[in-house]
Each structure stands twice: as structure tokens, then as C-alpha cells.
Amino acid sequence: MTALDLSSPVAVVGTGTMGQGIAQVALVAGHPVRLYDAVDGRAREAADAIGARLDRLVEKDRLTGAERDAARARLTSAGSLDALADCALVVEAVVERLDVKQELFRALEDVVGDDCLLATNTSSLSVTAVGGALRVPGRFVGLHFFNPAPLLPLVEVVSGFATDPASATRAYETARAWGKTPVTCADTPGFVVNRVARPFYAEALAVHELRAADPATIDAVLRESGGFRMGAFELTDLIGQDVNESVTHSVWQAFFQDVRFTPSLAQRRLVESGRLGRKSGQGWYDYRDGAERPGPHTAPPAEAPAYVVVEGDLGPAAELVGLIREAGVEVRPADEYGAGRIVLPDGGTLCLTDGGLPGSEDLVHFDLALDYRAATRIALSASAGVRPGLLSGATGLFQALGKKVSVVGDVPGMIVARTVARIIDLAFDAVARGVATPEDVDTAMRLGVNYPLGPFEWNRRLGDTWARDLLSHIHEWEPSGRCAPSLALHRHAAAADAREGTPS
């Protein structure tokens, strides 16, 4: 099954921001495009808005004047659904209400031919439910574009329970012909991106609710240590707190209130207060004129130790040994091979967080970094009873490596580590349940939400047992089940243990 021929008309129903974006993508690809909106005059306004965007593409040398004129000639507004009768594909981008979408597709089915591909752009509703009342449900598919559709490359091609494989393939090939990067997935709450991405928001909110760090510090650690393009609080402010919470709540309800997807009370209160983010002027941050954005907590300068002793394998943090030497701090050999840790001259130790609490007065945890050489900030965590000199020495050591240091509360798994581990876990669970392939999950998370690595890429870098072990330790301290490793992750890690001859 191949992509739709460029001579085939494509219709977009619903002419808001997303509908206009999808129409522009199909139009620039070369299709005749028809716009329809139930509100009189909206389709004509949308056509004018798309024309203006085509003008800007010409100004930016992304289209020629002739290409723009040809595209405009292919774009028309429809006064009724009957004008869509000969379309080969109709994409719906109306309000996220199941009854509205079902009614629309039932009406469309009375107009278009049985070979017309019908698609919903829903991000939160069941594709199966939307198409469930159709006379020919096999030609119904989800085409989930990401906003702004003309710019973001990812499209999730979602097969409902009744979707014919040929219809999904045609939708996939058409999206690819439009210059997009499609991934295929089953009809599951949140599809791939909105399912696997939940921990990015949830863990940041959990750390904040535990009063371990403020939003600005959590965001800075996620960006400057974790390698994420934006922190969770600034990203939800950009998305809209009401929108982000609605998706979280929808996924949680769709999974029968699975504790792994539990919404945040702190975010609920923010929405109730009307602080919806950038669009309302206030969210986690204040965007009103003259408002100052708070900075992250950054520790004051401290003296670096004269030397350290490195015991055992530091695992994902092994690169630190070379960085310490490059910084001019002597690395002395250990008398015996112990668990991976850095020992300071006063006998205190630094360890990469393992998901537990530091506990001892002689122990400081440091957080995971995507790349310890490139990271510009490191988070440290210690118990309330830690020896004052130890935390200062740990701070000085990382400052000697050119890192800013944020000291956060003693929350299990800290910030980056617990976030990455939970993302890996949900990715393994999704693949085990047939939602998507590991390759498509990685592609979706890199392109859909700009993660620096896909979950399976992260897992290969960190080791096959790392996420399971860290989440197991977090679960010991937080036994709600929210951070308990999935069966899929347990199986994967157990297989790795068996290969290495390690008891699981």
C-alpha cells in the first residue's frame, strides 16, 4: 500500500491552530486541500491565515513565489461537508470531545466514498472509541501531529482495534511522503509520547511536593545535568498547566487510575488558581511585565580537596575520574576494590544516587548526568545530619570540574536519575504490551518531546540493570507502587543478570 497520490484531495475538518497546521503540511506537499469548519466563516479565515504563512515561507526562501501561488490555488474552503465527497483523506482536528468526534465521522461517512481514509488527530481520546460507530471502521486511523504541525516532524500513526493494516500503512506512507517522520503505535492511552513522557513531569512535581527543591532548581538540573532542552516546570508553563494536567488526568483515568500515572495535587492547585502558564501571565513562573524570574539554588564557592580515592567502578559516572585528574586533583589508588565511590581526604564518600537515601553522616549522593563532561551543573544530596565539611568538600570537588552545584533535599533517586529511570521503565512496559517497537519509541521521544536520548538509547548507555535497581530502591523508600519497576523491566534486567551470572 502506497501513499495517496498528490492529485487526491485532502480535507481538514476543524480550522484551529492544529487544523491549519495539518492543512498547510498537506498543501505544501502538493495536495488539493479543502478546509471545513462548523462555524460559518472560520474556514475562509483559516485559508487566509495559511496564505499569510505561505507568504512568510517565501520571505524565508523556503518556498518560491510560483510554489506559493500554486499552493494557494489548491486551497479552498468548503461551505458544507458535502463538498468533501471526493476527498481521499479527511483529517479531523475538532474539539477533544468523544461525542463531537463520533457525530462528525458518522456524518462524513454518509458523504465520502468507502475508500476514503478517515483520520482523527486526537491526542487523548481512544481511536477505537472515536471510530467505533462507523459503518466501515477499518478505514479509520489516528494521525496524531504535534504542534506546530508544519515544524515538528513526528506523526504518531495509531491503529484502533478495528483499523485495517492496509489503512494504517497508507496513512503511514502518506505522512512520510509529506516529509514527516511517522511511527506506528497501537491505540493505548497517551499513545507513545504522552504515555512515556508522563514521568518527566511527574517526577519533577514529586520532588517539588517533597520540598526537596524549588521549580527553578529542578528545571536547571534537568537542563544542565540531564541534557533536556527545557525543565518540567518551564515546559508545562509553555504547554499550559490546564492542558498538561488534562492529558495527565486523561491517561490516569484511561489506565483505571494506575498509580504510575497519578496526577499532581500541586499542579491541580495551580490550575484552580488560574495560573495556567505563559498564556495567563503566571504559572510556576511569573511572565508579567517587570517580573523577575527566580534563579536556581547554586552553592557558594568551596575549596576542592587535595586528592580523592576512587574505589570500584563508578558505572555511569566513570567519566568523572578523568575529569578529576584533568582538574588537577590527585586520584589515589584504592587499597581495596569496593563499591563504586569517591572517597575524600576526611573519609567521607560520594556516590552516584542508587535510589536510596544518603542516610549516613559520611555520605553524599550526586545525581545522574547525561554527559558529565558537558554538564554545567550537578545536584548533590545529603542527609540532614551530614558532616558540614563533607558537603563543602563535595561541592568544591565538582566546582573544580567547572560545574555549578545545587544542593537538594534527600529525596530517593534525586532528580535526573529518577526521571530517566521511570521513562525507561514506561518505555519497556509499552513495548512489552505491543504499543510500539523500541526503535519507534526512541524516535517518538526524541522528535516528539526533544529528549536528548530515546529511552532505549539511555538504557544501553546506563546498563541493562541500572533502571530496575534504582527504581527498586526508590520503591523501598516510597512503597506506593508508583516507582515500582514493571514486569517488563524486571524481565529485561533478569536476563542481563543471567548473562553475567549475577543472582537477580
Side-chain angles (χ1 to χ4, degrees):
M1 183 66 69
T2 58
L4 293 176
D5 188 272
L6 290 180
S7 64
S8 302
V10 172
V12 177
V13 179
T15 58
T17 300
M18 184 58 75
Q20 290 182 33
I22 296 169
Q24 181 180 328
V25 170
L27 189 66
V28 171
H31 288 273
V33 174
R34 294 174 192 162
L35 296 171
Y36 174 78
D37 198 290
V39 179
D40 187 45
R42 287 268 181 89
R44 290 189 299 274
E45 293 173 1
D48 291 341
I50 293 171
R53 283 198 290 273
L54 295 177
D55 289 339
R56 289 195 290 274
L57 291 178
V58 172
E59 293 170 2
K60 296 177 181 178
D61 293 326
R62 296 178 184 174
L63 278 183
T64 66
E67 289 170 334
R68 173 199 57 197
D69 294 342
R72 277 181 166 170
R74 294 193 302 270
L75 179 62
T76 58
S77 58
S80 68
L81 289 180
D82 290 339
L84 313 182
D86 64 338
C87 287
L89 167 64
V90 180
V91 183
E92 163 273 316
V94 302
V95 64
E96 285 286 271
R97 278 181 47 188
L98 180 61
D99 59 335
V100 173
K101 293 179 187 290
Q102 287 176 328
E103 182 179 354
L104 168 63
F105 282 110
R106 281 194 293 264
L108 279 169
E109 202 169 33
D110 291 336
V111 172
V112 301
D114 286 354
D115 59 346
C116 175
L117 191 63
L118 298 179
T120 175
N121 183 59
T122 185
S123 61
S124 60
L125 299 175
S126 162
V127 170
T128 302
V130 175
L134 291 180
R135 174 173 48 81
V136 187
R139 44 90 170 265
F140 188 76
V141 67
L143 275 178
H144 181 214
F145 289 78
F146 288 74
N147 192 28
L151 297 180
L152 294 185
L154 183 69
V155 176
E156 291 177 318
V157 181
V158 187
S159 290
F161 186 79
T163 302
D164 288 337
S167 297
T169 300
R170 170 151 285 188
Y172 180 96
E173 294 298 337
T174 297
R176 188 163 66 172
W178 291 357
K180 296 301 180 182
T181 303
V183 297
T184 59
C185 62
D187 182 21
T188 185
F191 309 141
V192 176
V193 171
N194 280 329
R195 173 180 178 146
V196 178
R198 294 345 290 165
F200 180 71
Y201 314 109
E203 297 315 307
L205 287 161
V207 171
H208 172 60
E209 289 178 332
L210 289 168
R211 304 182 68 82
D214 60 274
T217 300
I218 295 169
D219 278 353
V221 172
L222 286 169
R223 288 194 315 270
E224 300 171 38
S225 184
F228 292 95
R229 184 168 297 184
M230 297 180 74
F233 295 96
E234 57 190 345
L235 180 54
T236 53
D237 269 357
L238 178 63
I239 295 168
Q241 297 300 331
D242 53 338
V243 174
N244 183 259
E245 193 216 22
S246 176
V247 172
T248 298
H249 196 271
S250 175
V251 172
W252 175 62
Q253 290 284 19
F255 276 114
F256 307 104
Q257 301 186 358
D258 186 327
V259 68
R260 296 176 300 167
F261 301 99
T262 301
S264 162
L265 182 59
Q267 188 176 41
R268 176 90 290 264
R269 292 291 179 260
L270 202 68
V271 172
E272 290 174 338
S273 72
R275 298 187 177 193
L276 306 182
R278 289 180 180 270
K279 63 185 177 183
S280 69
Q282 284 181 288
W284 293 111
Y285 301 105
D286 192 337
Y287 302 94
R288 294 172 297 180
D289 291 343
E292 291 187 14
R293 179 162 173 168
H297 167 77
T298 301
E303 185 176 353
Y307 70 90
V308 298
V309 176
V310 176
E311 296 183 355
D313 182 1
L314 297 183
E319 188 177 23
L320 286 175
V321 178
L323 296 179
I324 293 171
R325 289 196 175 101
E326 291 172 20
V329 177
E330 181 186 359
V331 178
R332 295 183 178 179
D335 293 332
E336 58 184 37
Y337 190 89
R341 61 181 186 169
I342 300 169
V343 183
L344 299 184
D346 65 358
T349 59
L350 306 180
C351 293
L352 174 63
T353 179
D354 63 355
L357 294 177
S360 167
E361 65 175 12
D362 295 319
L363 176 62
V364 172
H365 278 165
F366 59 89
D367 206 351
L368 179 69
L370 172 70
D371 180 337
Y372 282 98
R373 181 175 293 277
T376 58
R377 183 178 300 270
I378 294 294
L380 300 180
S381 175
S383 69
V386 67
R387 289 189 283 110
L390 174 54
L391 191 54
S392 175
T395 298
L397 175 63
F398 280 103
Q399 289 174 339
L401 307 187
K403 317 299 182 188
K404 296 176 182 177
V405 174
S406 291
V407 178
V408 302
D410 55 345
V411 59
M414 300 187 67
I415 298 170
V416 179
R418 67 187 287 148
T419 299
V420 170
R422 286 213 61 219
I423 289 170
I424 289 172
D425 182 55
L426 288 191
F428 270 95
D429 183 61
V431 169
R433 296 177 185 275
V435 175
T437 66
E439 295 76 18
D440 276 356
V441 170
D442 277 355
T443 297
M445 302 314 291
R446 283 188 288 102
L447 299 184
V449 278
N450 290 312
Y451 284 2
L453 295 174
F456 292 93
E457 293 173 307
W458 244 316
N459 182 72
R460 288 190 292 273
R461 176 180 290 198
L462 296 169
D464 289 324
T465 63
W466 178 85
R468 177 206 59 186
D469 293 346
L470 186 122
L471 291 175
S472 295
H473 288 146
I474 294 177
H475 179 60
E476 291 175 7
W477 291 95
E478 301 178 23
S480 67
R482 195 172 67 85
C483 292
S486 66
L487 177 59
L489 188 62
H490 270 299
R491 284 172 171 164
H492 178 79
D497 286 336
R499 289 194 300 271
E500 298 173 5
T502 306
S504 58

